[in-house]
Structure formats: C-alpha cells, structure tokens
Amino acid sequence: MLVSVKDSISSWFRIEGRGISGYAFIIHRLTGIVLTAYIFLHLAFLTSLTEGESAYTSLIEKTVNIRFLPFDILLIGVTIYHSLNGLRLVIAEFFVTRYHRELFVIFIIVGVVIWIFTSYLLYRFVVV
Amino acid sequence: MEEREVTFIVKRFYRNEWREDRYEFKAVRGMTVLDGLFHIRDNIDPSLSFRASCRMGICGSCGMVINGKAMLACSTQIFDLGTDVVRIEPLRNMEALKDLISDFDDFFEKHRRVKPYLIRKEEKSIEEGEYIQTPDELRKYRQYSLCIKCGLCYDACSITGSNKEYLGPAALASACRFIMDSRDQGEDERIPLVSDHTGCWRCHFMAECSEVCPKEVDPADAIQKLKRKALIYSLKRLFRR
Amino acid sequence: MIVQHDVTIIGAGLAGLRASIGAAEKSDRISIALVSKIYPLRSHSVCAEGGTGAALREGDSVELHSWDTVKGSDFLGDQDAIEFFCSIAPREVILLEHWGCPWSRTENGMLDQRPFGGHSFPRACYAADRTGFHEMHTLYERSLMYDNIERYSEYFVTSLIIEDNRVRGVTAIDLRTGELMVFQSKAVIIATGGAGRLYEFTTYSHTVTGDGMAIAYRAGIPLKDMEFFQFHPTGLLPSGILITEGARGEGGYLLNNRNERFMERYAPEKMELAPRDIVSRSMMTEINEGRGFEGPYGQYLLLDLRHLGEEKINEKLPLIREASIKFSGVDPVEEPIPVRPVAHYTMGGIHTNMYTETPVKGLYSAGEAACVSIHGANRLGTNSTMECLVFGGVAGERAAEFALGNDFAPVSSDYVKEEERRLFDDLLSRNGDERISVIRDEMRSTMERHVGIFRNGEDLKTGLRKIQELKERFKNISITDKGRSFNTELTHALEVDFMLDLAEVVVSGALLREESRGAHYRTDFPKRDDKKWLKHTLAYYTPEGPKFDYIPVTITKWKPVERKY
C-alpha cells in the first residue's frame, strides 16, 4: 500500500532535524528526479530524428549555446553527484557501512573537482 | 539553581483535530522535556496526554518530535536544546491517536513478522544446560539486541513515510539481531521474510535511523548487513540448484 | 463489549509474559488474553538491572540459596515456598537462555554470574546491567511464537468480577476508544507489579501504581505484609533512577563525607554487599549523623566506581554509566556517583500460596503484585526477576489447568452497568476543586516523611490521618478532560485512587506491627519480636479502612536466629 504523493514527497524532502546522511539522501532524490526529467527531454530530442537528420541537428545546435551553458553545467553537477553518491551507497550497502559519512565528504570534494574540470571543458567546447 | 522561562508549543491531536497549545513555565537546570510535560499536566493543563513510563531511556514510551527531531523526551534536557522555545509533536509516519500519542500497533506487528525469536533445528534439553556462546560471538549481535522499540527510527526514515509496507529499521534490526546470533538456525525462514520488496531492499540507506537512535543500535548498519546476508543467501541457493 | 478468553492475564511485565507462555505451552486449545495498560515492552520490568539469581554451579546449591533468602527475609519468608522457588530457579535461567536471552558469558562461553548483596555465592546471572531489559525482550519475543496469546495493549483494568468466590472476568477501559470492555474468563492472573509510586523518591516507572493490588484488595482478597517496603541503597540523585546493586557486586564502594567506607561499622563481613535493608539503614544513619553531603536535591552519599576502571564499567555497567551521565551529569569513570536510599520494592502483595493461588477460585497472582511470601521482610537482590519467572510460569500453568477443567461463569450485566456508572457517570464527571496531582504529591510526601526507612508510632499515626484526609479530599477532585479516547487524566485519577487505598494499608500495617524486622524498622520498637510478630499481616478491605488479620509463617528447616552480616 502506497501513501499519497503529497505525504511521500513531504517525507522524502523533510529537512528539519536531518543529519549529513539525510541531506545526502534528499539531494540524491532531487538529482534523481532531475535526471529522470532530463532523460525524457533527451528522448524527445532523439525523437526528432524521425523527422530527418536536419531537424535533429538544428535542434541540437540551438542548445549548444552560451545561454544554455549554465544549464549544462548544472546537469553535469547533478550527474556527478548522483553517480558518486550512488557509488557511495553501493560501497556502504555491500562493503563497508561504517565510514559512510567520511566517504560522503571525500566524494563531495572529489565531485567538486571533477565538476569544475568538466565545466571548464564544456565551456571550451561551447565558446571556443 | 539556574532557572529559565521556557515555552512549550505542543502540537496536539485532540478530538480528531490538530491544534497547537502554548505553555509557559519556569524550567530549572536538570529538567528533562518529559519533566516539563509532567509539569504541564500537573499544574497547567491536566488534559494533555502523552506516553511515559521508565523516565530513564529504556522502556521506549516517550518518543516524540522535539524541535523537528525525533527524541526520547525523558533523555532530553531542556537546557541542552539551545532554545527557550520547544516545539513538540507526536511521532510522524504513524497515525496520531490523541495529543502526543501515536499508533504503534503496525510497528509492533512488523516486528512480529520478522520472527524475532531463536529458531532451532534441534533443541537442547534443559538438563543439558546452556548453549555455549563465547563473549566474541555475543558481541556480534549485542548491539542490535539493545533496541528499545521506541519508534524514533520509524519517524526518521523517509521510506516508512512513503511505503506503509516497508518493515522499517527497528524490525529489520531485530531480524539482524537473530541472524547474527550464533545460537540461531532460522536463516532459511527469516532471510526470505526480510529480503523481499518490503524488507531490506526497500532501504535506500538514508541512515537517519541511526542518527536518531537513542541506544546506538545503528539499525542502518544492521540493514546493510542483512542485504549482504540476503545476497549471499540467494547466491548460495542459485548454486545449490 | 464482551470478549471471552480462557485465561486473562493482567499486566505484561516479566511475570505476565512468563505466565502467558506458561499457559500457552500447557495447551494450544486455550486462548489467552494478555491485557496491559501499556505496550508490554514499556513495562517496568525492563528497568531491572543487576541480575537474576539461581544456583547453577558447583559450590552453590538450592539449599544455600534458600538459606540466604530465608536469612535475608528476616525469617518472615515461608520456607517451603522459598525452597520450591530456589529449586526451580536454575531451570528458568537455562530456559531463558534457550529462548535467546543474551546473558553475559565467561570466556569459555558459559553463563557468567556476579556477586550480589546478601548472597553467599556469586549467583546472579546477568546481561550486562540490562538484565530485566533483555529478559523482557526475550520473553516478549518468545511469546510472539504462540498464536493463542492475544495481546490487548493499552487496556486499563478497572475491576475484577468475582461472584460466589469464583472469578468470572475483569472489566477494562479500552484506552483508544474509551469504552468499557469485559474480559470474561475462566481464570485470571494478576501480574501488575508493585506499588512504588506511593513514594516521592523512587526507582519505579511512572506507570507502577499498584493497580492490580488495589483491584484485588477492593474485590475482597487480602493483601499480605504490605508494611514491608524495600528501600534500595543507591538511587541516583535527583531522579531516583536505580543504580544497580551489581555496581557494588562488581566492587563499588560507598563513601561518606569523611571518605570512609562506612559499611565497615555496620556489616564488617559483607561490607557493601549486606542485604538492602541493612545498607539503606546504615546510609540513613550516616546522613542523620551528619556524615552525608549537602546538595541542591538534599543530602546524599557517594558510590565510588572509579577504581573499577573504564573498561570494566563499559563492559559490565554500561547503563549505569549512561544514566549517570545523562541524568546526573556525573561520569562514574571520573567521579563518584551521588546516591541516596530510594523506594524500590513492595515485599507485600496479594495473598497467595506457593502455587500462586489466591483465596478466590480461578484467580492467581504472580510477580511483585503477589506475596507468596518468599521475600518476607526484606527481599534479596536478584530474587525479584527470578520470582517473576518462577511464579509467572507456575501461575500460567495452574491457570491453564484450571481453565481446561472448568467452564465460563456468567457475568451479570448489572455489575457491568454499575462499573460503567462508577467510572463514567461518577468519576469522569467530577468537577470539584481538588487537583489530582496535588493529592498525589501530598500522599507521596506523606509516605516519604512518615513511612520511610525509620518509622515510629507518632509519625505513622500522623501519616495515617493525612492519608485518610486525602482519601476524603479525593472525592472532590475535578477531571477537566471529558473526552473518552486516551483520557490519561481519568486513568491517572483511577491510579491515584488505587494508590490511596494501598497507602492506607501500608501505613496502618506499619503502625500495628510493633517490632523491627527486615525493611520495617520502628525506632520505638527497635528489636525483632519473634514471640509476638513472627506472622504475616493480612489486610482486608472494608469501606471504613483495612481490617487486619494474621497468619503464621511456615518454618521448616531453619529456626529464626539473630541476623548478622
């Protein structure tokens, strides 16, 4: 038996009284929802292929643009967080549970470094 | 003795309606939130209902949400909260019955479902004496046996909030307690019970259950152990066939 | 609403749970109702800390355990019952082990045992300092195995239905709905625990208000030896939370303000491990003679555990450390713990024989609610949890046997209507100008002041007058919450009403007993008087107050001698 969407969402995203692993979960859910939405967007783009190659290319060209850069960077950030935290969960669930908080901090640092680097690459790709 | 004027804002479920009551009184150093509630009941509003028994953090009666976090009222000093305004509400993820009393029937029913008792394939007779268990073997599960069934983890867990069938941290920790017990031989019965879609795989490792646990049971750790046990168990069954 | 169960058990602590399992194992044809005003795991039994006594090992014997108990009881315990009790004890410990109790172990995996006050052999089996907690959880979890046990949690029992000296059932308020329920039963077991909340400074949980004793008393069953109330030497300041005797069993010292181990003066041989009545009296003597410490919560003495070392404290006394830090701000690894004698155990209770049978057919009682009597005038540590196990089991089996051989007796609807009227039309609708909490607090301070460790005729007379006056004032209380669901104000009123009756019995019994024996110490009669007072007190209910009668103590092997430690 599932409870109402409203109650589910309010229990997933309750911030009051949470600790570090609680926030990790909340962000994981949020990024998960963003990525799911993005997959649909991505599929929509791909669907344009059914109207021919030119339709797809023109659509894509519109998005490779300095105006879309912040969204792309954000999307990369979301992906990095979701994958690294996912990896942390796998480690905690199947290998070592005890150090999950420490692992979270380490992964955040690693994630930010990767994020900055990939954002820079993306910037070069779009602007230069 | 140090005294301070404090305000308790109690979210009450009274006659099927939610309401908030404010109580102001003088608290002294050493007073717990539970003492505060008793003070209110005895001196300000006798109709205020809450559960309480041992007042020493071992019976698990007085779990409630204090300033947003699930805690045992008896083990929480008012002066340690860092504020003079104390917001109290009943445990969430359970149905409120009256004031700060919420329904634990489902919680205990889930505990029952994991078969929380020693299962033996062959029983030793009383005359043969105790089963031998070394202190090291005892240490493997002792932590999980400390659960007082206060329901704080049930409040903290997001999944119990969104999926009413999920067994929840306390019941799963209890299953783990018996699976890790060297005297228990009930793996074949218990692991299938706790590893279906309502069991350990429903856990997304938010680990907040361990944050709020007043007895350092670390249910999150217990559930991850169950996942490993369940994985190994199903692999073994795969090869046995 | 009426429900039918072959056996109804009131109270779901150690004795109640053990009884339910005992009955369920007897036959799966009988249905058992386990009725409790709280969820079973909230029962006060979880607070038992130190250990459970049983003669298990070489060097110890049932005979020795019995002798220790007889001597501890100051010869008021019934010796046949004590021997019966001690002979079953080892079986119960092993049984609990087989059911999963995480007992502490020796290096080779056997059950470990620790020394305890008044015992001449280290025979306290323990699970760190959470013995009661683990026993409770083990029994509760074991009881989940039986499909014929039905749990009625949060049902407040208000009265026993007895006609023609045969129990017919009980009435109870379903706290959730507030409706009166009738549990029609062939047999009833009362296992509701003691009456510790009669006192101000007490180790008891808030819920231990002696309901079962008072209900039985009002139904005409005598209460036995109620004047004997145990004061535990070490209650934590300021709350009264129990610091287990195990702390002294592991080697803790009691110190006064001159840093002396003062027990040297009172019990040179056993020192801190003398029986509780003696240690508590010695502590009060120290305090009265000015060798206590003065603090914001009154006078106290110190329990020093520092020399045990952090490792041993964490391993064997983790709860003590946790409680001291949380509730007193003192870490026993670094500082001695402030303690004072504290009301801890009701030796008296519902009059039963050694098979837990009361004078009423089909009615049984076990645990602290009952008085068999094996504790006599003073209980030894570790014997209360064991009493719950042994006599809980016996009560369960006996009640099941009775239920198998008898039919349901009819319950008259008039009785139920009258009980409904009493609860809801009378009590619930009271709008007087007395506050329940004020009456309760005055009763507690009266008991504390006049019926404490040291008693005398004058004080007891004043106390009795005061309690009677409070009973009168109780008629004029007001209940503001007129709702039905979880009306904790109503249930608290019932509890206070029960406690006032019990307080009256305790005080009057103490006033009549003109001697000093075990926990009952009269400064005006400081000697034990075996000629006149080697007998059990029985208190019968009358509307005007208790009526007293006396019955002899069963003495088999051990003639009363002077009690020295």
Side-chain angles (χ1 to χ4, degrees):
Chain A
M1 180 185 62
L2 291 173
V3 289
S4 71
V5 176
K6 182 174 152 277
D7 285 353
S8 295
I9 289 178
S10 71
S11 86
W12 290 344
F13 298 124
R14 200 172 78 211
I15 334 177
E16 215 185 4
R18 294 288 189 211
I20 187 168
S21 45
Y23 293 123
F25 171 89
I26 293 167
I27 304 171
H28 199 77
R29 280 269 138 136
L30 274 176
T31 52
I33 290 168
V34 169
L35 287 175
T36 313
Y38 174 70
I39 282 176
F40 281 106
L41 199 68
H42 180 63
L43 286 176
F45 272 46
L46 286 182
T47 314
S48 69
L49 269 174
T50 55
E51 289 158 35
E53 199 187 322
S54 58
Y56 175 74
T57 318
S58 69
L59 199 61
I60 283 294
E61 268 175 358
K62 270 185 209 152
T63 62
V64 184
N65 185 314
I66 190 87
R67 275 184 293 130
F68 278 90
L69 190 62
F71 294 104
D72 285 336
I73 289 175
L74 214 60
L75 186 66
I76 287 177
V78 163
T79 316
I80 292 170
Y81 177 86
H82 201 80
S83 49
L84 280 183
N85 192 48
L87 190 63
R88 180 185 74 100
L89 293 179
V90 172
I91 294 171
E93 287 178 41
F94 293 107
F95 302 98
V96 192
T97 313
R98 195 179 305 158
Y99 303 109
H100 66 92
R101 289 181 201 83
E102 291 82 349
L103 215 56
F104 181 73
V105 176
I106 294 170
F107 275 19
I108 285 289
I109 295 167
V110 172
V112 167
V113 172
I114 299 175
W115 192 20
I116 292 171
F117 181 64
T118 45
S119 301
Y120 171 69
L121 287 186
L122 196 68
Y123 173 77
R124 290 263 309 254
F125 178 75
V126 175
V127 178
V128 183
Chain B
M1 221 179 305
E2 194 188 337
E3 275 190 343
R4 258 200 338 240
E5 194 67 41
V6 293
T7 308
F8 272 32
I9 302 173
V10 184
K11 189 173 164 190
R12 302 175 63 174
F13 187 70
Y14 192 73
R15 305 228 167 138
N16 296 322
E17 268 175 42
W18 285 104
R19 69 177 223 212
E20 250 175 31
D21 280 347
R22 293 172 72 91
Y23 304 103
E24 284 164 19
F25 60 94
K26 261 204 182 74
V28 294
R29 178 160 288 285
M31 208 171 179
T32 63
V33 172
L34 184 65
D35 293 334
L37 289 172
F38 272 119
H39 179 85
I40 293 170
R41 192 191 74 174
D42 287 347
N43 300 297
I44 308 173
D45 182 357
S47 73
L48 182 64
S49 299
F50 51 92
R51 289 195 186 103
S53 185
C54 76
R55 55 86 172 90
M56 59 184 282
I58 192 115
C59 78
S61 299
C62 63
M64 49 189 76
V65 178
I66 300 167
N67 287 344
K69 198 173 172 186
M71 298 198 246
L72 291 182
C74 72
S75 307
T76 307
Q77 299 278 333
I78 298 176
F79 284 12
D80 287 354
L81 288 171
T83 164
D84 292 340
V85 182
V86 184
R87 289 187 57 89
I88 302 177
E89 48 187 309
L91 289 180
R92 300 157 289 199
N93 300 345
M94 297 179 187
E95 199 194 332
L97 296 173
K98 191 205 169 193
D99 291 357
L100 296 172
I101 296 173
S102 34
D103 188 356
F104 267 72
D105 283 358
D106 183 47
F107 176 86
F108 281 117
E109 173 54 26
K110 284 172 175 163
H111 172 232
R112 194 188 65 79
R113 259 172 41 201
V114 304
K115 301 201 170 177
Y117 34 79
L118 222 53
I119 299 171
R120 295 283 302 182
K121 293 210 171 88
E122 76 280 350
E123 300 255 4
K124 214 171 170 180
S125 75
I126 301 290
E127 288 68 35
E128 288 171 277
E130 65 263 46
Y131 298 117
I132 298 300
Q133 182 171 62
T134 64
D136 282 335
E137 285 170 329
L138 173 67
R139 236 163 264 143
K140 283 209 177 97
Y141 71 87
R142 187 176 58 186
Q143 168 191 5
Y144 309 122
S145 73
L146 297 179
C147 171
I148 59 172
K149 311 287 179 296
C150 61
L152 298 192
C153 54
Y154 214 73
D155 172 273
C157 178
S158 307
I159 309 303
T160 56
S162 61
N163 188 330
K164 290 290 162 216
E165 282 183 357
Y166 176 47
L167 288 170
L172 290 170
S174 184
C176 183
R177 173 243 178 278
F178 284 95
I179 288 169
M180 305 295 286
D181 191 326
S182 61
R183 296 168 292 180
D184 187 76
Q185 300 167 333
E187 207 181 57
D188 291 331
E189 282 185 52
R190 205 175 283 115
I191 287 189
L193 279 178
V194 296
S195 56
D196 65 359
H197 65 288
T198 64
C200 61
W201 299 114
R202 185 55 67 186
C203 164
H204 295 266
F205 195 65
M206 189 189 207
E208 280 291 308
C209 49
S210 297
E211 298 288 330
V212 296
C213 179
K215 288 288 153 188
E216 289 156 28
V217 173
D218 204 349
D221 182 56
I223 300 171
Q224 310 325 308
K225 280 210 176 84
L226 279 185
K227 286 179 186 168
R228 280 167 236 162
K229 287 268 178 197
L231 186 68
I232 293 167
Y233 181 81
S234 48
L235 285 176
K236 263 199 228 157
R237 290 228 339 205
L238 211 63
F239 286 112
R240 231 186 277 159
R241 265 178 206 157
Chain C
M1 201 170 89
I2 296 190
V3 289
Q4 277 193 338
H5 287 280
D6 295 314
V7 177
T8 294
I9 299 167
I10 318 172
L14 264 185
L17 285 171
R18 182 67 189 82
S20 73
I21 296 173
E25 292 215 315
K26 192 83 198 169
S27 162
D28 53 10
R29 284 184 295 127
I30 54 171
S31 75
I32 300 149
L34 189 60
V35 184
S36 172
K37 66 174 172 178
I38 44 182
Y39 282 105
L41 291 180
R42 314 304 187 212
S43 303
H44 178 63
S45 302
V46 295
C47 300
E49 293 174 352
T52 293
L56 286 178
R57 303 279 178 247
E58 210 146 298
D60 198 3
S61 66
V62 170
E63 175 125 356
L64 193 59
H65 188 187
S66 307
W67 162 240
D68 285 340
T69 306
V70 170
K71 189 179 172 195
S73 79
D74 218 347
F75 299 92
L76 193 70
D78 286 332
Q79 297 181 3
D80 53 344
I82 291 173
E83 273 193 279
F84 172 71
F85 161 77
C86 293
S87 67
I88 299 185
R91 193 192 140 78
E92 289 293 328
V93 170
I94 303 295
L95 204 58
L96 233 60
E97 199 279 336
H98 285 196
W99 290 347
C101 186
W103 294 113
S104 293
R105 307 280 176 155
T106 60
E107 280 310 311
N108 58 14
M110 311 276 277
L111 299 184
D112 198 8
Q113 291 178 295
R114 62 160 59 130
F116 237 74
H119 290 281
S120 46
F121 192 87
R123 65 167 74 93
C125 299
Y126 63 101
D129 55 357
R130 300 186 179 91
T131 308
F133 171 80
H134 285 306
E135 289 175 348
M136 270 297 291
H137 280 244
T138 304
L139 283 181
Y140 172 74
E141 291 171 340
R142 173 79 186 184
S143 80
L144 296 173
M145 272 177 76
Y146 304 95
D147 292 329
N148 52 339
I149 301 176
E150 199 162 328
R151 275 160 284 275
Y152 291 87
S153 299
E154 306 198 313
Y155 286 73
F156 190 102
V157 174
T158 60
S159 79
L160 282 169
I161 309 171
I162 297 173
E163 270 174 62
D164 310 325
N165 203 38
R166 163 95 156 83
V167 73
R168 285 145 197 262
V170 302
T171 57
I173 303 174
D174 175 353
L175 293 182
R176 193 175 288 212
T177 61
E179 297 304 318
L180 192 72
M181 301 249 308
V182 176
F183 291 85
Q184 194 186 3
S185 298
K186 298 170 182 171
V188 172
I189 302 172
I190 303 177
T192 50
R197 281 277 155 186
L198 289 179
Y199 286 86
E200 212 167 30
F201 190 62
T202 168
T203 61
Y204 282 91
S205 299
H206 286 285
T207 42
V208 192
T209 47
D211 308 345
M213 290 179 183
I215 288 166
Y217 172 62
R218 287 182 186 182
I221 298 134
L223 297 180
K224 187 157 70 187
D225 293 342
M226 288 296 285
E227 63 270 31
F228 296 99
F229 216 101
Q230 179 164 76
F231 287 80
H232 193 287
T234 51
L236 182 69
L237 254 66
S239 53
I241 287 169
L242 174 67
I243 300 294
T244 172
E245 190 163 301
R248 282 169 287 134
E250 297 293 348
Y253 300 149
L254 285 171
L255 301 174
N256 63 14
N257 67 9
R258 297 184 195 159
N259 214 28
E260 295 167 325
R261 281 180 73 185
F262 56 86
M263 279 312 293
E264 240 163 23
R265 278 197 286 280
Y266 308 93
E269 209 174 296
K270 291 251 174 184
M271 297 290 284
E272 280 87 355
L273 286 181
R276 290 173 179 171
D277 57 332
I278 294 177
V279 181
S280 292
R281 250 189 325 268
S282 312
M283 289 174 77
M284 281 321 281
T285 310
E286 288 295 308
I287 289 174
N288 291 345
E289 290 175 3
R291 291 190 290 277
F293 296 85
E294 196 66 57
Y297 307 105
Q299 294 183 309
Y300 61 92
L301 293 162
L302 292 177
L303 174 66
D304 194 353
L305 303 178
R306 287 173 297 181
H307 55 285
L308 302 180
E310 184 166 1
E311 201 185 324
K312 191 168 180 184
I313 292 177
N314 284 344
E315 182 67 27
K316 304 218 161 165
L317 303 164
L319 184 65
I320 294 310
R321 186 172 185 198
E322 187 191 317
S324 306
I325 294 173
K326 265 192 194 157
F327 302 106
S328 196
V330 170
D331 185 349
V333 171
E334 281 150 17
E335 280 176 272
I337 310 171
V339 292
R340 177 158 43 112
V342 55
H344 181 62
Y345 189 83
T346 325
M347 258 80 72
I350 299 164
H351 172 48
T352 73
N353 63 13
M354 61 191 266
Y355 305 113
T356 71
E357 295 157 343
T358 67
V360 172
K361 257 201 217 139
L363 182 65
Y364 302 80
S365 180
E368 194 177 342
C371 179
V372 172
S373 126
I374 57 164
H375 305 311
N378 173 59
R379 173 176 75 80
L380 290 189
T382 79
N383 273 355
S384 75
T385 43
M386 187 45 89
E387 177 192 22
C388 292
L389 297 173
V390 169
F391 291 107
V394 172
E397 280 169 31
R398 293 267 162 168
E401 268 168 31
F402 184 87
L404 287 170
N406 287 279
D407 275 331
F408 286 102
V411 173
S412 80
S413 59
D414 285 351
Y415 181 88
V416 181
K417 272 195 202 113
E418 171 55 28
E419 183 66 4
E420 255 176 348
R421 197 201 57 75
R422 178 179 83 91
L423 293 171
F424 302 124
D425 298 341
D426 175 17
L427 197 59
L428 185 60
S429 61
R430 282 189 203 177
N431 281 318
D433 35 47
E434 289 285 356
R435 279 222 304 265
I436 302 166
S437 58
V438 171
I439 294 183
R440 181 203 62 204
D441 289 348
E442 283 188 29
M443 173 197 73
R444 285 183 180 159
S445 61
T446 307
M447 293 299 284
E448 196 78 35
R449 198 167 333 136
H450 300 297
V451 205
I453 296 177
F454 291 113
R455 302 162 174 185
N456 67 60
E458 275 315 302
D459 272 0
L460 289 170
K461 270 181 215 154
T462 323
L464 183 58
R465 260 201 311 279
K466 182 80 193 171
I467 297 288
Q468 283 163 344
E469 180 198 311
L470 288 173
K471 275 182 81 168
E472 213 38 54
R473 279 168 60 191
F474 183 84
K475 291 178 184 156
N476 198 24
I477 56 161
S478 91
I479 293 184
T480 58
D481 186 0
K482 304 291 183 198
R484 284 292 186 90
S485 176
F486 280 101
N487 190 331
T488 45
E489 203 181 346
L490 174 67
T491 48
H492 195 52
L494 284 165
E495 289 170 345
V496 173
D497 191 18
F498 289 152
M499 284 193 287
L500 284 169
D501 272 3
L502 296 177
E504 194 182 15
V505 175
V506 174
V507 188
S508 335
L511 184 61
L512 288 174
R513 189 174 275 274
E514 295 183 331
E515 65 155 351
S516 290
R517 183 186 296 273
H520 173 68
Y521 192 88
R522 291 275 300 255
T523 49
D524 43 354
F525 299 94
K527 285 267 179 305
R528 196 175 81 194
D529 184 352
D530 287 335
K531 270 209 188 91
K532 267 167 77 185
W533 288 105
L534 188 58
K535 55 187 181 184
H536 296 295
T537 312
L538 290 184
Y540 290 85
Y541 175 81
T542 73
E544 295 79 41
K547 196 173 101 262
F548 286 90
D549 193 9
Y550 294 90
I551 53 169
V553 176
T554 312
I555 289 173
T556 55
K557 285 184 191 160
W558 299 284
K559 297 279 169 282
V561 291
E562 197 196 347
R563 186 162 164 260
K564 253 194 180 152
Y565 286 94

